[in-house]
Amino acid sequence: MRKLPTNREGINKPLWLLAEITYRCPLNCVFCYNPVDYAKQHQELTTDEWLSVLNQGREMGAAQLGLSGGEPLLRKDLELIVKEGRKLGYYINLITSGIGMTEARIKNLKEAGVDHIQLSFQDSTREMNDFLSSTKTFDLKNKVAKLIKQYDYPMVLNCVLHRLNIDHIEEILSMAESMGAEYVELANTQFYSWASLNKKQLMPTRQQLDKAEAVLKKFRDRLGNKMKIYFVMPDYYSTRPKKCMNGWGNVFITVQADGTVLPCHVAGMLPNIEFANIKDTSLDWIWYDSPGFNLFRGDSWMKEPCKSCPEKENDLGGCRCQAYMLAGDAALTDPICEKSPHHEKMVKQFVKDAEKISAGEKPIIFRTDKESRRLIKEKDTCSLNIEESRLFEDGVVASSDKSRVGSI
């Protein structure tokens, strides 16, 4: 039994629990935020282990439960997990591609207690939607959108924007309106994980962004609150960093498919940090006492220019993962910040260079089990560039070629 600290004052309770219940997925999206090395040797948490996670999170004060993946519908026990979450009093958000959703399934999930479903599209056209996911799923997604409305859920549509689809923003919003979407999240690609591998091909131009914002304003002016549209700017066009996850270990807690607990989706790649696993200890200890969750809490860890910056309370130095990916040190200022000595080279210059990249200059890497295993092996043989090699956990071993992801 681990000894509890004498003082936990100043550490907030977690409010948002994200359960990444599987990394199996029928889609192969080029911008997926799942770890690049998700096809490592690992065992998914069992039903009972996930129910324990939900109970522990609720006891600690978590109120919002996100169920994601991969594709959560691939878990046959999804309804059992939802039912437990409803019994405990969570507000439950299912984040899905829609693939695997049938009328029987949505009926069961409604009865189990799902509060709202966030459905992802890759584009407004069948051709681009299916290309970006490397699947033929556009028609299936449209059927699921109708089921969501039929079962009286608020329509929450998500579409990740990037160079290859941002020019279709008017068509995407028109599609959302025709579906009766109440909420639309147009999140410009954040360049982590698989999106980082494809950054040169996915980085939009300034001209594209300006055009997209003009279209967005037109729709907002016309629709008002009838359809709420959220537009997340790409970091690379900013001069101020975002407060990562509203602060490291402050609100948000992620439990990966294998039980590893993280302060954000991709923190597992940060070197020299051992993040605990729920199979070995309690969620309470991990949140309050583990070295990984306390490493970047508050501001005592900050270096200059963050340490003396008057804006530090607003952004807490930005994203620790982005600082590591671009500058090689998770304790440095996020290079998105114009005060960072890495801002000019790693951000502004990259944007300039990306505008010169032609569509076929570098092949797009799709998120597949085969690619994940290949990349793990290339990392081991030092065949990747420095920035790419920073996307992997230390000591990861690829699962065998024919094994199901999530099974050793």
Side-chain angles (χ1 to χ4, degrees), residues 156-199:
V156 184
L157 188 145
N158 171 273
C159 186
V160 177
L161 298 179
H162 42 76
R163 179 183 291 195
L164 302 180
N165 70 355
I166 195 170
D167 291 333
H168 305 159
I169 188 170
E170 185 164 7
E171 291 81 1
I172 292 168
L173 287 170
S174 294
M175 177 184 73
E177 184 183 4
S178 69
M179 289 177 175
E182 286 88 2
Y183 304 91
V184 180
E185 181 179 316
L186 300 174
N188 275 280
T189 302
Q190 304 299 302
F191 292 101
Y192 302 91
S193 302
W194 295 89
S196 181
L197 294 174
N198 294 304
K199 186 162 60 171

mmCIF file of all heavy atoms in Angstrom, residues 156-199:
data_model
loop_
_atom_site.group_PDB
_atom_site.id
_atom_site.type_symbol
_atom_site.label_atom_id
_atom_site.label_comp_id
_atom_site.label_asym_id
_atom_site.label_seq_id
_atom_site.Cartn_x
_atom_site.Cartn_y
_atom_site.Cartn_z
ATOM 1 N N VAL A 156 -24.256 16.061 -32.855
ATOM 2 C CA VAL A 156 -22.955 16.682 -32.655
ATOM 3 C C VAL A 156 -22.033 16.136 -33.736
ATOM 4 O O VAL A 156 -21.653 14.964 -33.712
ATOM 5 C CB VAL A 156 -22.385 16.373 -31.257
ATOM 6 C CG1 VAL A 156 -21.071 17.113 -31.058
ATOM 7 C CG2 VAL A 156 -23.381 16.750 -30.165
ATOM 8 N N LEU A 157 -21.713 16.967 -34.699
ATOM 9 C CA LEU A 157 -20.904 16.531 -35.837
ATOM 10 C C LEU A 157 -19.497 17.113 -35.727
ATOM 11 O O LEU A 157 -19.321 18.299 -35.449
ATOM 12 C CB LEU A 157 -21.554 16.978 -37.143
ATOM 13 C CG LEU A 157 -20.939 16.453 -38.439
ATOM 14 C CD1 LEU A 157 -22.024 16.207 -39.481
ATOM 15 C CD2 LEU A 157 -19.911 17.431 -39.012
ATOM 16 N N ASN A 158 -18.515 16.251 -35.923
ATOM 17 C CA ASN A 158 -17.122 16.671 -35.854
ATOM 18 C C ASN A 158 -16.449 16.432 -37.195
ATOM 19 O O ASN A 158 -16.622 15.370 -37.806
ATOM 20 C CB ASN A 158 -16.388 15.883 -34.760
ATOM 21 C CG ASN A 158 -14.891 16.122 -34.782
ATOM 22 O OD1 ASN A 158 -14.158 15.446 -35.490
ATOM 23 N ND2 ASN A 158 -14.439 17.081 -34.007
ATOM 24 N N CYS A 159 -15.694 17.431 -37.641
ATOM 25 C CA CYS A 159 -14.898 17.266 -38.857
ATOM 26 C C CYS A 159 -13.541 17.935 -38.644
ATOM 27 O O CYS A 159 -13.476 19.138 -38.373
ATOM 28 C CB CYS A 159 -15.607 17.868 -40.070
ATOM 29 S SG CYS A 159 -14.752 17.536 -41.635
ATOM 30 N N VAL A 160 -12.485 17.159 -38.730
ATOM 31 C CA VAL A 160 -11.133 17.694 -38.573
ATOM 32 C C VAL A 160 -10.727 18.365 -39.884
ATOM 33 O O VAL A 160 -10.819 17.756 -40.962
ATOM 34 C CB VAL A 160 -10.137 16.575 -38.211
ATOM 35 C CG1 VAL A 160 -8.715 17.133 -38.130
ATOM 36 C CG2 VAL A 160 -10.532 15.927 -36.888
ATOM 37 N N LEU A 161 -10.287 19.614 -39.796
ATOM 38 C CA LEU A 161 -9.918 20.380 -40.988
ATOM 39 C C LEU A 161 -8.406 20.367 -41.220
ATOM 40 O O LEU A 161 -7.616 20.323 -40.276
ATOM 41 C CB LEU A 161 -10.388 21.825 -40.853
ATOM 42 C CG LEU A 161 -11.897 22.054 -40.719
ATOM 43 C CD1 LEU A 161 -12.173 23.545 -40.568
ATOM 44 C CD2 LEU A 161 -12.652 21.485 -41.914
ATOM 45 N N HIS A 162 -8.033 20.465 -42.482
ATOM 46 C CA HIS A 162 -6.624 20.489 -42.881
ATOM 47 C C HIS A 162 -6.570 20.922 -44.345
ATOM 48 O O HIS A 162 -7.617 21.230 -44.950
ATOM 49 C CB HIS A 162 -5.971 19.112 -42.690
ATOM 50 C CG HIS A 162 -6.851 17.985 -43.132
ATOM 51 N ND1 HIS A 162 -7.048 17.673 -44.454
ATOM 52 C CD2 HIS A 162 -7.638 17.128 -42.425
ATOM 53 C CE1 HIS A 162 -7.886 16.664 -44.547
ATOM 54 N NE2 HIS A 162 -8.272 16.326 -43.333
ATOM 55 N N ARG A 163 -5.394 20.920 -44.913
ATOM 56 C CA ARG A 163 -5.225 21.444 -46.272
ATOM 57 C C ARG A 163 -6.103 20.731 -47.296
ATOM 58 O O ARG A 163 -6.575 21.348 -48.263
ATOM 59 C CB ARG A 163 -3.757 21.298 -46.701
ATOM 60 C CG ARG A 163 -3.518 21.794 -48.122
ATOM 61 C CD ARG A 163 -2.095 21.599 -48.581
ATOM 62 N NE ARG A 163 -1.179 22.478 -47.853
ATOM 63 C CZ ARG A 163 0.066 22.714 -48.242
ATOM 64 N NH1 ARG A 163 0.545 22.144 -49.321
ATOM 65 N NH2 ARG A 163 0.846 23.508 -47.545
ATOM 66 N N LEU A 164 -6.361 19.436 -47.106
ATOM 67 C CA LEU A 164 -7.051 18.657 -48.118
ATOM 68 C C LEU A 164 -8.566 18.812 -48.104
ATOM 69 O O LEU A 164 -9.236 18.414 -49.059
ATOM 70 C CB LEU A 164 -6.689 17.165 -47.960
ATOM 71 C CG LEU A 164 -5.197 16.834 -48.053
ATOM 72 C CD1 LEU A 164 -4.979 15.346 -47.879
ATOM 73 C CD2 LEU A 164 -4.611 17.309 -49.386
ATOM 74 N N ASN A 165 -9.115 19.386 -47.010
ATOM 75 C CA ASN A 165 -10.579 19.531 -46.987
ATOM 76 C C ASN A 165 -11.075 20.899 -46.534
ATOM 77 O O ASN A 165 -12.283 21.162 -46.585
ATOM 78 C CB ASN A 165 -11.210 18.445 -46.101
ATOM 79 C CG ASN A 165 -10.925 18.652 -44.621
ATOM 80 O OD1 ASN A 165 -10.180 19.550 -44.221
ATOM 81 N ND2 ASN A 165 -11.505 17.796 -43.792
ATOM 82 N N ILE A 166 -10.195 21.780 -46.095
ATOM 83 C CA ILE A 166 -10.645 23.052 -45.547
ATOM 84 C C ILE A 166 -11.337 23.924 -46.594
ATOM 85 O O ILE A 166 -12.206 24.734 -46.258
ATOM 86 C CB ILE A 166 -9.469 23.815 -44.879
ATOM 87 C CG1 ILE A 166 -10.016 24.954 -44.006
ATOM 88 C CG2 ILE A 166 -8.464 24.301 -45.901
ATOM 89 C CD1 ILE A 166 -8.962 25.596 -43.117
ATOM 90 N N ASP A 167 -11.006 23.722 -47.860
ATOM 91 C CA ASP A 167 -11.683 24.487 -48.918
ATOM 92 C C ASP A 167 -13.139 24.046 -49.103
ATOM 93 O O ASP A 167 -13.901 24.697 -49.822
ATOM 94 C CB ASP A 167 -10.937 24.337 -50.244
ATOM 95 C CG ASP A 167 -9.581 25.034 -50.223
ATOM 96 O OD1 ASP A 167 -9.433 26.005 -49.454
ATOM 97 O OD2 ASP A 167 -8.676 24.606 -50.956
ATOM 98 N N HIS A 168 -13.521 22.941 -48.456
ATOM 99 C CA HIS A 168 -14.895 22.441 -48.550
ATOM 100 C C HIS A 168 -15.722 22.849 -47.339
ATOM 101 O O HIS A 168 -16.785 22.266 -47.091
ATOM 102 C CB HIS A 168 -14.894 20.909 -48.650
ATOM 103 C CG HIS A 168 -14.065 20.361 -49.768
ATOM 104 N ND1 HIS A 168 -13.584 19.067 -49.790
ATOM 105 C CD2 HIS A 168 -13.619 20.947 -50.913
ATOM 106 C CE1 HIS A 168 -12.892 18.880 -50.891
ATOM 107 N NE2 HIS A 168 -12.894 19.998 -51.588
ATOM 108 N N ILE A 169 -15.263 23.817 -46.581
ATOM 109 C CA ILE A 169 -15.939 24.149 -45.325
ATOM 110 C C ILE A 169 -17.393 24.571 -45.550
ATOM 111 O O ILE A 169 -18.273 24.236 -44.738
ATOM 112 C CB ILE A 169 -15.164 25.246 -44.546
ATOM 113 C CG1 ILE A 169 -15.766 25.432 -43.145
ATOM 114 C CG2 ILE A 169 -15.109 26.555 -45.303
ATOM 115 C CD1 ILE A 169 -14.914 26.307 -42.239
ATOM 116 N N GLU A 170 -17.679 25.250 -46.644
ATOM 117 C CA GLU A 170 -19.071 25.644 -46.911
ATOM 118 C C GLU A 170 -19.936 24.415 -47.140
ATOM 119 O O GLU A 170 -21.057 24.323 -46.619
ATOM 120 C CB GLU A 170 -19.134 26.575 -48.123
ATOM 121 C CG GLU A 170 -20.525 27.116 -48.381
ATOM 122 C CD GLU A 170 -20.527 28.314 -49.304
ATOM 123 O OE1 GLU A 170 -19.463 28.659 -49.856
ATOM 124 O OE2 GLU A 170 -21.605 28.925 -49.463
ATOM 125 N N GLU A 171 -19.410 23.449 -47.888
ATOM 126 C CA GLU A 171 -20.154 22.226 -48.144
ATOM 127 C C GLU A 171 -20.313 21.394 -46.863
ATOM 128 O O GLU A 171 -21.363 20.766 -46.644
ATOM 129 C CB GLU A 171 -19.453 21.394 -49.226
ATOM 130 C CG GLU A 171 -19.485 21.998 -50.615
ATOM 131 C CD GLU A 171 -18.423 23.078 -50.841
ATOM 132 O OE1 GLU A 171 -17.631 23.352 -49.909
ATOM 133 O OE2 GLU A 171 -18.382 23.652 -51.941
ATOM 134 N N ILE A 172 -19.275 21.391 -46.026
ATOM 135 C CA ILE A 172 -19.341 20.645 -44.762
ATOM 136 C C ILE A 172 -20.422 21.235 -43.860
ATOM 137 O O ILE A 172 -21.231 20.511 -43.266
ATOM 138 C CB ILE A 172 -17.970 20.657 -44.055
ATOM 139 C CG1 ILE A 172 -16.952 19.838 -44.862
ATOM 140 C CG2 ILE A 172 -18.085 20.109 -42.636
ATOM 141 C CD1 ILE A 172 -15.511 20.020 -44.410
ATOM 142 N N LEU A 173 -20.461 22.563 -43.768
ATOM 143 C CA LEU A 173 -21.466 23.214 -42.930
ATOM 144 C C LEU A 173 -22.868 23.050 -43.514
ATOM 145 O O LEU A 173 -23.848 22.889 -42.768
ATOM 146 C CB LEU A 173 -21.125 24.693 -42.764
ATOM 147 C CG LEU A 173 -19.935 24.974 -41.835
ATOM 148 C CD1 LEU A 173 -19.515 26.433 -41.924
ATOM 149 C CD2 LEU A 173 -20.252 24.598 -40.394
ATOM 150 N N SER A 174 -22.978 23.073 -44.821
ATOM 151 C CA SER A 174 -24.281 22.848 -45.451
ATOM 152 C C SER A 174 -24.765 21.428 -45.184
ATOM 153 O O SER A 174 -25.955 21.192 -44.937
ATOM 154 C CB SER A 174 -24.184 23.093 -46.963
ATOM 155 O OG SER A 174 -23.910 24.452 -47.234
ATOM 156 N N MET A 175 -23.846 20.471 -45.236
ATOM 157 C CA MET A 175 -24.194 19.081 -44.923
ATOM 158 C C MET A 175 -24.683 18.968 -43.487
ATOM 159 O O MET A 175 -25.703 18.324 -43.206
ATOM 160 C CB MET A 175 -22.984 18.175 -45.140
ATOM 161 C CG MET A 175 -23.214 16.716 -44.768
ATOM 162 S SD MET A 175 -21.715 15.691 -44.944
ATOM 163 C CE MET A 175 -20.742 16.260 -43.518
ATOM 164 N N ALA A 176 -23.955 19.609 -42.566
ATOM 165 C CA ALA A 176 -24.336 19.569 -41.153
ATOM 166 C C ALA A 176 -25.715 20.184 -40.939
ATOM 167 O O ALA A 176 -26.548 19.659 -40.188
ATOM 168 C CB ALA A 176 -23.284 20.299 -40.315
ATOM 169 N N GLU A 177 -25.971 21.298 -41.633
ATOM 170 C CA GLU A 177 -27.281 21.956 -41.495
ATOM 171 C C GLU A 177 -28.402 21.065 -42.012
ATOM 172 O O GLU A 177 -29.463 20.942 -41.381
ATOM 173 C CB GLU A 177 -27.266 23.278 -42.257
ATOM 174 C CG GLU A 177 -28.548 24.074 -42.100
ATOM 175 C CD GLU A 177 -28.551 25.354 -42.913
ATOM 176 O OE1 GLU A 177 -27.583 25.595 -43.672
ATOM 177 O OE2 GLU A 177 -29.537 26.110 -42.798
ATOM 178 N N SER A 178 -28.164 20.413 -43.147
ATOM 179 C CA SER A 178 -29.190 19.544 -43.727
ATOM 180 C C SER A 178 -29.466 18.335 -42.843
ATOM 181 O O SER A 178 -30.574 17.780 -42.859
ATOM 182 C CB SER A 178 -28.775 19.089 -45.126
ATOM 183 O OG SER A 178 -27.660 18.196 -45.055
ATOM 184 N N MET A 179 -28.486 17.928 -42.064
ATOM 185 C CA MET A 179 -28.652 16.796 -41.139
ATOM 186 C C MET A 179 -29.350 17.208 -39.847
ATOM 187 O O MET A 179 -29.688 16.367 -39.025
ATOM 188 C CB MET A 179 -27.285 16.199 -40.783
ATOM 189 C CG MET A 179 -26.621 15.444 -41.900
ATOM 190 S SD MET A 179 -24.985 14.868 -41.384
ATOM 191 C CE MET A 179 -24.517 13.909 -42.830
ATOM 192 N N GLY A 180 -29.503 18.510 -39.646
ATOM 193 C CA GLY A 180 -30.111 18.991 -38.419
ATOM 194 C C GLY A 180 -29.149 19.036 -37.250
ATOM 195 O O GLY A 180 -29.565 18.929 -36.085
ATOM 196 N N ALA A 181 -27.861 19.208 -37.537
ATOM 197 C CA ALA A 181 -26.855 19.247 -36.467
ATOM 198 C C ALA A 181 -27.061 20.472 -35.579
ATOM 199 O O ALA A 181 -27.226 21.590 -36.071
ATOM 200 C CB ALA A 181 -25.451 19.267 -37.059
ATOM 201 N N GLU A 182 -27.061 20.236 -34.269
ATOM 202 C CA GLU A 182 -27.144 21.351 -33.323
ATOM 203 C C GLU A 182 -25.768 21.905 -32.994
ATOM 204 O O GLU A 182 -25.615 23.082 -32.674
ATOM 205 C CB GLU A 182 -27.818 20.901 -32.018
ATOM 206 C CG GLU A 182 -29.318 20.708 -32.119
ATOM 207 C CD GLU A 182 -29.705 19.305 -32.558
ATOM 208 O OE1 GLU A 182 -28.802 18.464 -32.756
ATOM 209 O OE2 GLU A 182 -30.902 19.057 -32.717
ATOM 210 N N TYR A 183 -24.748 21.040 -33.077
ATOM 211 C CA TYR A 183 -23.380 21.437 -32.750
ATOM 212 C C TYR A 183 -22.443 20.908 -33.827
ATOM 213 O O TYR A 183 -22.554 19.752 -34.250
ATOM 214 C CB TYR A 183 -22.944 20.869 -31.389
ATOM 215 C CG TYR A 183 -23.843 21.245 -30.244
ATOM 216 C CD1 TYR A 183 -24.911 20.440 -29.880
ATOM 217 C CD2 TYR A 183 -23.621 22.415 -29.518
ATOM 218 C CE1 TYR A 183 -25.750 20.784 -28.829
ATOM 219 C CE2 TYR A 183 -24.448 22.772 -28.467
ATOM 220 C CZ TYR A 183 -25.513 21.948 -28.125
ATOM 221 O OH TYR A 183 -26.330 22.298 -27.085
ATOM 222 N N VAL A 184 -21.533 21.758 -34.271
ATOM 223 C CA VAL A 184 -20.538 21.344 -35.255
ATOM 224 C C VAL A 184 -19.163 21.780 -34.754
ATOM 225 O O VAL A 184 -18.948 22.951 -34.446
ATOM 226 C CB VAL A 184 -20.796 21.980 -36.640
ATOM 227 C CG1 VAL A 184 -19.729 21.522 -37.634
ATOM 228 C CG2 VAL A 184 -22.187 21.634 -37.139
ATOM 229 N N GLU A 185 -18.270 20.816 -34.644
ATOM 230 C CA GLU A 185 -16.904 21.130 -34.239
ATOM 231 C C GLU A 185 -15.993 21.008 -35.453
ATOM 232 O O GLU A 185 -15.801 19.916 -35.984
ATOM 233 C CB GLU A 185 -16.423 20.182 -33.138
ATOM 234 C CG GLU A 185 -15.007 20.507 -32.674
ATOM 235 C CD GLU A 185 -14.521 19.584 -31.570
ATOM 236 O OE1 GLU A 185 -15.293 19.319 -30.635
ATOM 237 O OE2 GLU A 185 -13.363 19.132 -31.663
ATOM 238 N N LEU A 186 -15.464 22.134 -35.890
ATOM 239 C CA LEU A 186 -14.504 22.173 -36.986
ATOM 240 C C LEU A 186 -13.133 22.418 -36.365
ATOM 241 O O LEU A 186 -12.719 23.552 -36.149
ATOM 242 C CB LEU A 186 -14.872 23.281 -37.975
ATOM 243 C CG LEU A 186 -16.256 23.142 -38.626
ATOM 244 C CD1 LEU A 186 -16.573 24.370 -39.458
ATOM 245 C CD2 LEU A 186 -16.329 21.888 -39.490
ATOM 246 N N ALA A 187 -12.469 21.350 -36.050
ATOM 247 C CA ALA A 187 -11.190 21.437 -35.334
ATOM 248 C C ALA A 187 -10.057 21.330 -36.340
ATOM 249 O O ALA A 187 -9.841 20.261 -36.920
ATOM 250 C CB ALA A 187 -11.092 20.324 -34.291
ATOM 251 N N ASN A 188 -9.362 22.439 -36.574
ATOM 252 C CA ASN A 188 -8.187 22.347 -37.425
ATOM 253 C C ASN A 188 -7.199 21.368 -36.800
ATOM 254 O O ASN A 188 -7.038 21.310 -35.580
ATOM 255 C CB ASN A 188 -7.530 23.722 -37.579
ATOM 256 C CG ASN A 188 -8.166 24.529 -38.682
ATOM 257 O OD1 ASN A 188 -7.879 24.328 -39.847
ATOM 258 N ND2 ASN A 188 -9.061 25.433 -38.308
ATOM 259 N N THR A 189 -6.571 20.593 -37.640
ATOM 260 C CA THR A 189 -5.678 19.533 -37.185
ATOM 261 C C THR A 189 -4.654 20.051 -36.186
ATOM 262 O O THR A 189 -3.987 21.057 -36.423
ATOM 263 C CB THR A 189 -4.946 18.907 -38.384
ATOM 264 O OG1 THR A 189 -5.912 18.397 -39.299
ATOM 265 C CG2 THR A 189 -4.027 17.785 -37.944
ATOM 266 N N GLN A 190 -4.560 19.353 -35.061
ATOM 267 C CA GLN A 190 -3.480 19.596 -34.110
ATOM 268 C C GLN A 190 -2.410 18.548 -34.405
ATOM 269 O O GLN A 190 -2.703 17.351 -34.449
ATOM 270 C CB GLN A 190 -3.994 19.477 -32.671
ATOM 271 C CG GLN A 190 -5.164 20.409 -32.371
ATOM 272 C CD GLN A 190 -4.811 21.882 -32.532
ATOM 273 O OE1 GLN A 190 -3.901 22.396 -31.898
ATOM 274 N NE2 GLN A 190 -5.549 22.578 -33.387
ATOM 275 N N PHE A 191 -1.187 18.981 -34.594
ATOM 276 C CA PHE A 191 -0.189 18.096 -35.199
ATOM 277 C C PHE A 191 0.570 17.254 -34.180
ATOM 278 O O PHE A 191 1.745 17.478 -33.875
ATOM 279 C CB PHE A 191 0.744 18.912 -36.096
ATOM 280 C CG PHE A 191 0.027 19.427 -37.306
ATOM 281 C CD1 PHE A 191 -0.413 20.744 -37.363
ATOM 282 C CD2 PHE A 191 -0.268 18.587 -38.361
ATOM 283 C CE1 PHE A 191 -1.111 21.216 -38.463
ATOM 284 C CE2 PHE A 191 -0.972 19.046 -39.459
ATOM 285 C CZ PHE A 191 -1.388 20.363 -39.515
ATOM 286 N N TYR A 192 -0.158 16.240 -33.709
ATOM 287 C CA TYR A 192 0.386 15.218 -32.834
ATOM 288 C C TYR A 192 0.231 13.868 -33.528
ATOM 289 O O TYR A 192 -0.530 13.717 -34.479
ATOM 290 C CB TYR A 192 -0.363 15.184 -31.501
ATOM 291 C CG TYR A 192 -0.350 16.494 -30.755
ATOM 292 C CD1 TYR A 192 -1.356 17.441 -30.945
ATOM 293 C CD2 TYR A 192 0.669 16.797 -29.863
ATOM 294 C CE1 TYR A 192 -1.340 18.647 -30.267
ATOM 295 C CE2 TYR A 192 0.695 18.003 -29.179
ATOM 296 C CZ TYR A 192 -0.313 18.922 -29.380
ATOM 297 O OH TYR A 192 -0.289 20.116 -28.713
ATOM 298 N N SER A 193 0.934 12.878 -33.058
ATOM 299 C CA SER A 193 0.746 11.492 -33.485
ATOM 300 C C SER A 193 0.740 11.360 -35.008
ATOM 301 O O SER A 193 1.649 11.829 -35.670
ATOM 302 C CB SER A 193 -0.532 10.927 -32.862
ATOM 303 O OG SER A 193 -0.472 11.006 -31.457
ATOM 304 N N TRP A 194 -0.324 10.748 -35.571
ATOM 305 C CA TRP A 194 -0.352 10.498 -37.016
ATOM 306 C C TRP A 194 -0.394 11.796 -37.814
ATOM 307 O O TRP A 194 0.181 11.883 -38.910
ATOM 308 C CB TRP A 194 -1.553 9.607 -37.362
ATOM 309 C CG TRP A 194 -1.408 8.248 -36.755
ATOM 310 C CD1 TRP A 194 -1.831 7.855 -35.523
ATOM 311 C CD2 TRP A 194 -0.735 7.125 -37.329
ATOM 312 N NE1 TRP A 194 -1.467 6.557 -35.286
ATOM 313 C CE2 TRP A 194 -0.801 6.075 -36.378
ATOM 314 C CE3 TRP A 194 -0.092 6.894 -38.545
ATOM 315 C CZ2 TRP A 194 -0.245 4.822 -36.614
ATOM 316 C CZ3 TRP A 194 0.463 5.633 -38.782
ATOM 317 C CH2 TRP A 194 0.388 4.624 -37.835
ATOM 318 N N ALA A 195 -1.040 12.810 -37.277
ATOM 319 C CA ALA A 195 -1.066 14.104 -37.961
ATOM 320 C C ALA A 195 0.335 14.693 -38.054
ATOM 321 O O ALA A 195 0.673 15.373 -39.030
ATOM 322 C CB ALA A 195 -1.990 15.066 -37.239
ATOM 323 N N SER A 196 1.158 14.456 -37.046
ATOM 324 C CA SER A 196 2.532 14.960 -37.081
ATOM 325 C C SER A 196 3.323 14.310 -38.209
ATOM 326 O O SER A 196 4.122 14.965 -38.885
ATOM 327 C CB SER A 196 3.216 14.700 -35.736
ATOM 328 O OG SER A 196 4.542 15.192 -35.733
ATOM 329 N N LEU A 197 3.093 13.024 -38.429
ATOM 330 C CA LEU A 197 3.776 12.328 -39.524
ATOM 331 C C LEU A 197 3.388 12.914 -40.880
ATOM 332 O O LEU A 197 4.183 12.893 -41.824
ATOM 333 C CB LEU A 197 3.425 10.839 -39.503
ATOM 334 C CG LEU A 197 3.914 10.018 -38.309
ATOM 335 C CD1 LEU A 197 3.358 8.603 -38.393
ATOM 336 C CD2 LEU A 197 5.435 9.991 -38.236
ATOM 337 N N ASN A 198 2.156 13.436 -40.970
ATOM 338 C CA ASN A 198 1.630 13.961 -42.238
ATOM 339 C C ASN A 198 1.552 15.488 -42.262
ATOM 340 O O ASN A 198 0.804 16.068 -43.049
ATOM 341 C CB ASN A 198 0.239 13.375 -42.485
ATOM 342 C CG ASN A 198 0.266 11.880 -42.720
ATOM 343 O OD1 ASN A 198 0.953 11.396 -43.610
ATOM 344 N ND2 ASN A 198 -0.475 11.135 -41.909
ATOM 345 N N LYS A 199 2.345 16.118 -41.413
ATOM 346 C CA LYS A 199 2.204 17.559 -41.195
ATOM 347 C C LYS A 199 2.394 18.379 -42.475
ATOM 348 O O LYS A 199 1.647 19.331 -42.726
ATOM 349 C CB LYS A 199 3.205 18.002 -40.119
ATOM 350 C CG LYS A 199 3.061 19.434 -39.692
ATOM 351 C CD LYS A 199 3.749 19.688 -38.356
ATOM 352 C CE LYS A 199 5.231 19.389 -38.385
ATOM 353 N NZ LYS A 199 5.897 19.839 -37.140
#
